[in-house]
Amino acid sequence: MRKRILIAVALFSLLSILGGLYIIHSLSRATAIQGNLITLHQVEILREHLLIQIKKVQGDLTLKGTRHERDIETLTNHVHTMSTVIDSCFGCHHNEATKSKLESLHGRIDEYKLALSRVFTIKANSALLERDKDAAFSIGRSLIDDLNAMLAFTSMKLEERTQAALTEIKRTKSVIALFILTGPLLAVGLALLLFKRFSDPISSLLDATRKLKSGDLDHRVKGLKDEFGEVAASFNEMAGSLKEQMKSMQRAEQLVVIGEMATGLAHEIKNPLAGIKASIEILSGELDLKQEDQEVLTRIIEEIKKIETLLRSLLNYARPPSPQIDLVRIDHILTRSLTSARYSVKGLLPRLDKPHAVTFEKNFDGNLPAILADPAQLEQVFLNLLLNAAEAMPEGGTVTMIASYDIGMDAVSIEVSDTGRGIEDKDIDKIFNPFYTTKPRGTGLGLAICKRLIEQQGGSISAENNPGGGARFTVTIPVNQDPEVQSR
């Protein structure tokens, strides 16, 4: 956003500077045009003045020999003024062609002055005097005709340049008016654009805050960029964290309820159930029953044992024992879990189609450090994961356990993967929830207990599908426990 603001301000400043330069250039150009017009007017005036002086001299020549003849002093003044005027014409700035015409005109005036001198100063006979007078008059007439032609040409040029100057000034006025009108509009448009750029993200964040306040923890801010995008990312991260905390609180409340329920079941059901099972076992041993009646009592005892197992699992989940933290070798725990799993799989023979086809493989890092953890709880967790992996492969397969040490995290990571069908996508986020199971005979507490035991020791557990098939569970346990965990 800061970059866009700087670009907008720079663009507006550049346009303002260009507009100012254009106005300065236009004013300079208009001033130059007016200067040229003034010079042209001065030239026209000088030429008119020269024409008047020539006509005065021509009048003096015409009156010579009449009773209205002017004195020689008047003629001399008129001729002097005519010479002064033609000399002043060279003071103006002309092009080479005009200068050439002026030089020609100056030469003819000199010729005219010589002819006048011959008329007014040389004493000759009447016939010769009249001939010189006619020659001088002819030169004067020719000068008057040429000056009239030059004045006509000058007037035409002056008219053309005046019209061009007026057109240029009118165009300049239009452009300046356009700048004056569009400048404020551009400023207002730019301000509105920046306001929208600010107000829309703020409205989006404000709306997200209101939804979060109303309890919609799944709402996320999308589509924002730049600094607002960073704020939106922080907001989304905060909403996600808040949702996780809410889930943790709900889960804690559920655990409290389950704990209370489990305690009640333990007192209200477990003891009477033990009495019922003992009574049925006595009756089954002492009474002479038929084979089918004996099988019925046996099934009843088996079902009572399942209820007792469920009650123990429920109690373990609701109120797990506090971890007994000790310095242990994780590879030893994993090896014992694998050994127990191999023996336990044999007990699953009736439940697996090809149990003999299930094989266990391990790949342990040779530099696994000793960790602070509860060995009994860890062995319970890994045995549960190994047996789950074996049950997930009714057609047989391979269960692989990999252990490694992450120096950056200072933690050990244990992966348990199988080559079975994997976990359906809809179940991945729920398999650690209590009482959620995909097994026909499962209680839905095994993975929930595993998760709680691992978290009690500062670790974490996650599940995902392998790209090549099968599921993979990853357990991460810190090498050094927090003082809070050790004090539990």
Side-chain angles (χ1 to χ4, degrees):
M1 180 54 70
R2 284 180 297 182
K3 184 178 179 181
R4 292 183 178 179
I5 292 174
L6 290 176
I7 291 175
V9 172
L11 181 61
F12 184 76
S13 300
L14 179 62
L15 292 176
S16 300
I17 292 173
L18 291 177
L21 291 176
Y22 178 80
I23 292 174
I24 293 173
H25 172 72
S26 299
L27 292 176
S28 300
R29 182 177 175 80
T31 303
I33 291 173
Q34 289 178 355
N36 289 333
L37 291 177
I38 291 172
T39 302
L40 204 56
H41 275 291
Q42 290 175 343
V43 170
E44 185 182 29
I45 291 171
L46 279 175
R47 289 176 182 178
E48 288 178 349
H49 189 42
L50 178 60
L51 178 61
I52 292 171
Q53 296 303 320
I54 292 174
K55 285 182 178 179
K56 286 182 178 180
V57 174
Q58 195 74 344
D60 295 338
L61 181 61
T62 303
L63 295 175
K64 181 176 176 50
T66 66
R67 61 188 181 91
H68 300 292
E69 181 180 359
R70 299 187 179 103
D71 55 38
I72 191 66
E73 185 178 358
T74 301
L75 174 65
T76 302
N77 290 334
H78 288 165
V79 171
H80 177 71
T81 303
M82 180 181 68
S83 299
T84 303
V85 173
I86 187 62
D87 290 339
S88 64
C89 288
F90 287 94
C92 301
H93 299 285
H94 297 291
N95 54 33
E96 293 299 326
T98 304
K99 286 183 178 178
S100 177
K101 289 181 180 180
L102 289 176
E103 289 174 353
S104 174
L105 184 62
H106 191 277
R108 293 177 62 194
I109 288 176
D110 290 341
E111 183 183 356
Y112 184 48
K113 288 163 58 179
L114 183 61
L116 291 172
S117 175
R118 194 178 294 116
V119 171
F120 284 94
T121 58
I122 297 176
K123 302 299 184 182
N125 55 39
S126 312
L128 185 58
L129 183 60
E130 286 298 325
R131 190 194 64 184
D132 291 340
K133 184 178 179 182
D134 290 341
F137 189 84
S138 176
I139 295 172
R141 172 64 63 184
S142 175
L143 287 172
I144 292 173
D145 292 341
D146 290 345
L147 279 174
N148 282 328
M150 291 179 69
L151 281 171
F153 180 77
T154 303
S155 298
M156 183 187 68
K157 287 293 182 183
L158 184 62
E159 179 65 21
E160 290 177 354
R161 293 188 182 185
T162 301
Q163 292 300 325
L166 292 175
T167 303
E168 179 68 18
I169 292 172
K170 184 178 180 181
R171 188 178 66 82
T172 303
K173 287 172 60 180
S174 300
V175 174
I176 293 175
L178 182 63
F179 273 118
I180 293 174
L181 291 176
T182 56
L185 292 177
L186 181 62
V188 172
L190 185 61
L192 290 176
L193 180 62
L194 292 177
F195 177 76
K196 183 174 177 58
R197 290 283 185 181
F198 274 105
S199 62
D200 286 354
I202 290 176
S203 298
S204 179
L205 291 172
L206 184 60
D207 180 63
T209 304
R210 289 171 177 164
K211 288 185 177 179
L212 188 64
K213 181 182 177 181
S214 64
D216 185 4
L217 301 180
D218 293 324
H219 181 75
R220 297 291 183 272
V221 183
K222 299 178 180 177
L224 299 185
K225 300 178 180 178
D226 302 326
E227 288 81 0
F228 288 109
E230 296 178 4
V231 175
S234 300
F235 179 88
N236 292 337
E237 185 178 354
M238 179 191 69
S241 176
L242 186 59
K243 183 178 180 180
E244 290 299 323
Q245 291 183 5
M246 291 293 292
K247 284 184 176 179
S248 299
M249 292 175 62
Q250 292 175 354
R251 186 163 170 264
E253 292 176 356
Q254 291 175 352
L255 291 177
V256 172
V257 173
I258 292 174
E260 293 176 352
M261 183 178 66
T263 304
L265 287 173
H267 288 87
E268 300 297 333
I269 298 176
K270 189 176 180 181
N271 292 334
L273 199 62
I276 294 172
K277 187 180 73 172
S279 300
I280 293 176
E281 287 176 342
I282 292 173
L283 290 175
S284 176
E286 294 181 354
L287 294 179
D288 186 14
L289 300 174
K290 296 179 181 179
Q291 180 64 28
E292 58 269 22
D293 295 334
Q294 186 68 37
E295 291 178 354
V296 170
L297 291 178
T298 301
R299 284 200 300 272
I300 292 174
I301 293 172
E302 289 296 327
E303 294 301 324
I304 290 174
K305 289 180 179 178
K306 291 180 182 177
I307 294 174
E308 290 176 335
T309 301
L310 177 61
L311 288 175
R312 282 196 299 272
S313 298
L314 189 59
L315 283 172
N316 287 334
Y317 178 72
R319 294 184 177 179
S322 298
Q324 303 300 313
I325 301 299
D326 196 3
L327 187 64
V328 296
R329 291 282 303 272
I330 187 66
D331 52 339
H332 292 177
I333 295 175
L334 298 177
T335 300
R336 286 200 299 270
S337 300
L338 281 169
T339 302
S340 300
R342 289 191 180 95
Y343 284 114
S344 298
V345 165
K346 295 179 180 178
L348 297 175
L349 283 174
R351 298 167 55 187
L352 297 177
D353 297 334
K354 297 179 181 179
H356 59 281
V358 176
T359 59
F360 292 89
E361 296 181 354
K362 67 177 183 179
N363 183 8
F364 296 164
D365 188 346
N367 297 319
L368 288 175
I371 64 173
L372 289 172
D374 186 323
Q377 291 186 355
L378 289 185
E379 194 167 337
Q380 177 185 348
V381 170
F382 292 122
L383 178 60
N384 191 299
L385 294 178
L386 290 169
L387 293 179
N388 281 349
E391 289 184 348
M393 299 182 295
E395 301 298 329
T398 303
V399 179
T400 304
M401 175 174 274
I402 301 174
S404 59
Y405 172 59
D406 189 329
I407 299 178
M409 297 176 60
D410 192 24
V412 293
S413 175
I414 301 98
E415 293 181 3
V416 178
S417 60
D418 60 63
T419 56
R421 296 185 299 271
I423 307 170
E424 294 188 18
D425 293 339
K426 65 181 180 61
D427 295 327
I428 284 184
D429 294 335
K430 303 176 183 177
I431 58 175
F432 292 109
N433 292 342
F435 305 112
Y436 187 83
T437 181
T438 58
K439 301 176 185 177
R441 301 172 63 87
T443 62
L445 288 173
L447 289 176
I449 293 173
C450 288
K451 179 178 177 63
R452 192 158 193 203
L453 293 179
I454 292 297
E455 289 179 347
Q456 273 196 147
Q457 302 184 54
S460 62
I461 183 171
S462 61
E464 59 184 342
N465 285 319
N466 288 315
R472 179 174 61 212
F473 288 80
T474 303
V475 176
T476 302
I477 305 172
V479 173
N480 296 301
Q481 296 291 346
D482 291 338
E484 181 181 354
V485 174
Q486 298 184 46
S487 62
R488 288 175 181 171

